[in-house]
Amino acid sequence: MAYQVTSLSRLAEQFARLPNVGRKTAQRYAFYVLSQPPEFARAFAEALLDSSGSIKRCSVCQNLSDEPVCSICQNQARARSIICVVADPRYVIAFERLREYNGLYHVLHGLISPMEGVGPEQLTVKELLSRLTGEVKEVVMATNPTVEGEATAMYLSRLIKPMGLKVSRLAYGLPAGGNLEYADDITLCRALEGRNEM
Ligand code: ZN
């Protein structure tokens, strides 16, 4: 019986390392896995091992990819004149869901944050700059309207604008049904800057 308990707690410890999984949930997951036939755990383990071994970064846009160059960068139907800069791969998925954007992306894998000791050299800034040759006409800063997001957009814009490229920023609107009075400064500032002609 001691063997069973050890493997249960070992498994629970691993589940507890996942985001938003507390100790109780981790134990429930571990217990569930151990109550299943061996094939269940094997399929689970194989998927885990495969994912960490095969998923790498696209050598162009730095997004996660199974191939050396991702399917978006490979797609010749996409506009090569515009690059949308995002903090992490989740935002690529969010933009792709809209089916509105037909340009390319660049994934920074983080934002500049002096508080957390993250500087431009920890991000894929060098890789972004190396892409800005000829074809690219516009770079869209699609980082969140947070202090880090704004600082990163500002930093990149200062580097890219002198190269003669258009640098734009997403116009963050006010939430529908919201009240101007309760909007935070950054949101209000962005809404004003991103105003449209009527
Ligand atoms: Zn790519």
Side-chain angles (χ1 to χ4, degrees):
M1 265 337 260
Y3 163 73
Q4 275 252 332
V5 173
T6 309
S7 58
L8 186 72
S9 59
R10 259 188 68 201
L11 190 54
E13 265 169 41
Q14 295 309 311
F15 279 125
R17 295 169 69 179
L18 297 171
N20 300 320
V21 176
R23 216 160 47 88
K24 272 192 185 157
T25 305
Q27 260 174 8
R28 203 152 42 85
Y29 286 169
F31 193 74
Y32 179 79
V33 172
L34 293 180
S35 71
Q36 295 300 301
E39 301 82 71
F40 180 92
R42 195 169 302 125
F44 205 96
E46 272 171 16
L48 271 178
L49 290 171
D50 278 359
S51 69
S52 72
S54 68
I55 293 198
K56 27 192 174 295
R57 287 183 185 183
C58 166
S59 61
V60 182
C61 71
Q62 309 299 317
N63 193 10
L64 298 179
S65 171
D66 289 317
E67 307 289 327
V69 176
C70 78
S71 57
I72 295 174
C73 289
Q74 277 189 48
N75 186 347
Q76 291 303 316
R78 299 194 74 122
R80 282 166 197 269
S81 56
I82 179 164
I83 294 180
C84 178
V85 178
V86 297
D88 70 62
R90 285 176 302 161
Y91 300 107
V92 173
I93 295 169
F95 279 111
E96 285 301 284
R97 213 168 26 221
L98 299 176
R99 296 173 187 277
E100 279 288 323
Y101 178 69
N102 192 41
L104 302 177
Y105 295 95
H106 191 84
V107 180
L108 293 170
H109 291 281
L111 292 170
I112 294 171
S113 169
M115 294 282 282
E116 286 171 39
V118 182
E121 61 287 345
Q122 271 114 301
L123 310 174
T124 62
V125 173
K126 204 160 42 114
E127 289 84 349
L128 172 63
L129 297 178
S130 74
R131 295 176 67 188
L132 306 180
T133 52
E135 277 186 322
V136 183
K137 304 283 177 255
E138 179 177 357
V139 181
V140 185
M141 297 298 158
T143 51
N144 279 334
T146 57
V147 174
E148 289 85 7
E150 292 291 332
T152 307
M154 196 57 79
Y155 174 84
L156 291 175
S157 156
R158 282 198 193 119
L159 284 180
I160 298 167
K161 264 191 186 158
M163 299 167 83
L165 292 156
K166 180 180 173 188
V167 180
S168 54
R169 181 95 174 92
L170 288 188
Y172 292 95
L174 296 157
N179 186 326
L180 283 184
E181 196 183 351
Y182 304 123
D184 63 89
D185 293 353
I186 292 178
T187 307
L188 207 50
C189 232
R190 284 264 142 244
L192 186 62
E193 282 171 20
R195 67 190 184 278
N196 294 313
E197 200 177 321
M198 290 181 72

